[in-house]
Amino acid sequence: MPETAFHHTSHRVDIAAPAGVVYGLVADAVRWPLFLTPTVHVEALDLEGADQRLRIWALACDDVTSWVTRRTLDPAARRIDFRQEVPGPSEPGVTGSWVVEELPEGSSRLTLRSALPASATRTTPASWLERAEHDDLLALLADLKHLAERWATLDEHIVAVEETLRVDGPAELAYDFLYRIENWPAQLPRLTRLDLVEETPGIQQVRMDLLADDGRTHTARGVRVCFPHGGRIVYKLVEPPASTVAQAGEWSVEPDASGVTLRGRHQAVLPCPDGPSDTTPGTEPRTASGTEPSTASGGDAGPEVGRALGRDSAVVLGLARRYAQSAVRVITPKP
């Protein structure tokens, strides 16, 4: 059998942050969707010990693709080796490593090395890196730099909201409402328009117009990954409303012996004005996600964003409950 030829790449960025902080960001892959622009969702398949197995969904050239990655973590050396699994046992995937080096005066250097099979086609996860290495991969490294240089105050700019609601109705119907997002504009006054693309079942790309409290309309773009057998839908707004630089969350339907619990978990990252400047001569300042920063600080906007997230989540859960319980009443004959 002929040997597979590999295309080797190496990218690096210097970061004004301790090496331990940078390594921690790379190691904590489950939080990547909230912080890193191309990443939509990371599902932990196995996180025991130094060897990990993750399923990753990411955007590349506006397409959503996914793959399984095996990682070996070495905190002492600040190195993470990875190997992407692809369909077919004889088909090679991308291999590589993240390496963090300590530099003088408390700064560090992050290097991403990869080996891409030269025969990779667009239908394999390996091609994701080939297509994304110029724009999306550079955005990934820029996001990590941005986050690490603001790590001391980053938690102050994260808003987390969780809403729950009990339902006396079938879990399948509640999930059906959450899944059929194309029907939401008729029932959600703040959602004035929604376009849905679902070329792959369970992978939904949406573009929607949202009416803010001040009467202005904001356009947002998101990706949803649906797990019908698990009663879960995870999402990320890859182009969030103007008040945030990132937003991600999950809808879940959790049946038990006495009924069903609907749960909405949502997290948003507010603009982080502190830390080293991201500007270069002749350019405007931009956030890690590539959007123009909000004029409000994280502390000023946090409560307002939290209230909006909680209110919208409660409305959606309430509609899902009404849909499930109303359908049961319709099909139940009167005595």
Side-chain angles (χ1 to χ4, degrees):
M1 181 179 296
E3 276 192 31
T4 301
F6 283 84
H7 172 61
H8 294 269
T9 64
S10 180
H11 296 78
R12 71 183 186 184
V13 61
D14 289 350
I15 302 174
V21 168
V22 178
Y23 176 84
L25 281 170
V26 178
D28 192 7
V30 174
R31 298 188 76 189
W32 283 8
L34 187 62
F35 295 139
L36 305 185
T37 302
T39 311
V40 172
H41 178 60
V42 177
E43 191 84 357
L45 304 179
D46 184 3
L47 291 181
E48 294 296 328
D51 294 322
Q52 300 182 344
R53 193 164 177 261
L54 308 169
R55 186 167 188 88
I56 300 174
W57 287 259
L59 272 175
C61 304
D62 290 331
D63 290 335
V64 181
T65 188
S66 70
W67 63 91
V68 173
T69 289
R70 291 186 178 272
R71 307 197 310 170
T72 301
L73 278 61
D74 187 345
R78 298 194 184 98
R79 178 187 179 102
I80 299 174
D81 295 318
F82 64 86
R83 175 174 60 85
Q84 293 183 359
E85 297 179 353
V86 295
S90 63
E91 190 173 3
V94 177
T95 62
S97 61
W98 297 90
V99 179
V100 183
E101 303 171 70
E102 189 171 356
L103 298 180
E105 300 181 359
S107 61
S108 57
R109 174 171 295 158
L110 174 61
T111 302
L112 171 57
R113 300 185 180 93
S114 61
L116 173 72
S119 60
T121 66
R122 191 180 185 280
T123 59
T124 67
S127 66
W128 172 82
L129 186 57
E130 185 177 37
R131 291 183 294 133
E133 63 182 355
H134 296 296
D135 296 329
D136 291 346
L137 186 55
L138 292 179
L140 180 70
L141 294 175
D143 284 350
L144 287 166
K145 174 181 172 68
H146 178 95
L147 289 165
E149 292 180 346
R150 290 153 180 78
W151 189 250
T153 59
L154 183 60
D155 286 344
E156 300 173 12
H157 298 271
I158 297 176
V159 177
V161 172
E162 179 171 336
E163 298 284 336
T164 61
L165 193 63
R166 290 292 290 175
V167 177
D168 184 16
E172 295 80 5
L173 291 179
Y175 180 86
D176 186 66
F177 178 87
L178 297 174
Y179 174 76
R180 297 184 185 278
I181 191 173
E182 70 272 18
N183 297 331
W184 289 11
Q187 304 179 63
L188 293 171
R190 284 166 47 82
L191 183 57
T192 60
R193 181 186 66 89
L194 186 143
D195 297 326
L196 170 67
V197 175
E198 189 172 355
E199 296 178 351
T200 301
I203 305 295
Q204 301 177 333
Q205 294 199 55
V206 298
R207 188 177 293 274
M208 48 195 169
D209 290 341
L210 304 167
L211 186 63
D213 292 337
D214 59 8
R216 292 185 297 175
T217 298
H218 300 280
T219 298
R221 176 172 164 245
V223 177
R224 307 202 323 160
V225 182
C226 306
F227 303 93
H229 298 296
R232 299 169 55 227
I233 298 173
V234 299
Y235 75 88
K236 174 175 178 173
L237 295 186
V238 295
E239 294 176 11
S243 58
T244 64
V245 297
Q247 186 174 325
E250 175 180 336
W251 303 100
S252 62
V253 180
E254 305 166 8
D256 56 42
S258 60
V260 175
T261 297
L262 302 183
R263 195 180 308 274
R265 297 185 182 93
H266 314 279
Q267 287 186 297
V269 179
L270 306 174
C272 297
D274 55 304
S277 172
D278 288 331
T279 60
T280 55
T283 64
E284 294 296 323
R286 302 187 73 80
T287 66
S289 61
T291 60
E292 296 182 1
S294 168
T295 55
S297 68
D300 295 335
E304 180 181 348
V305 170
R307 284 191 296 269
L309 286 174
R311 177 191 60 204
D312 293 346
S313 181
V315 169
V316 171
L317 295 180
L319 290 170
R321 177 172 68 177
R322 186 175 69 181
Y323 178 81
Q325 296 183 166
S326 298
V328 171
R329 285 194 292 269
V330 167
I331 65 176
T332 301
K334 295 181 179 180

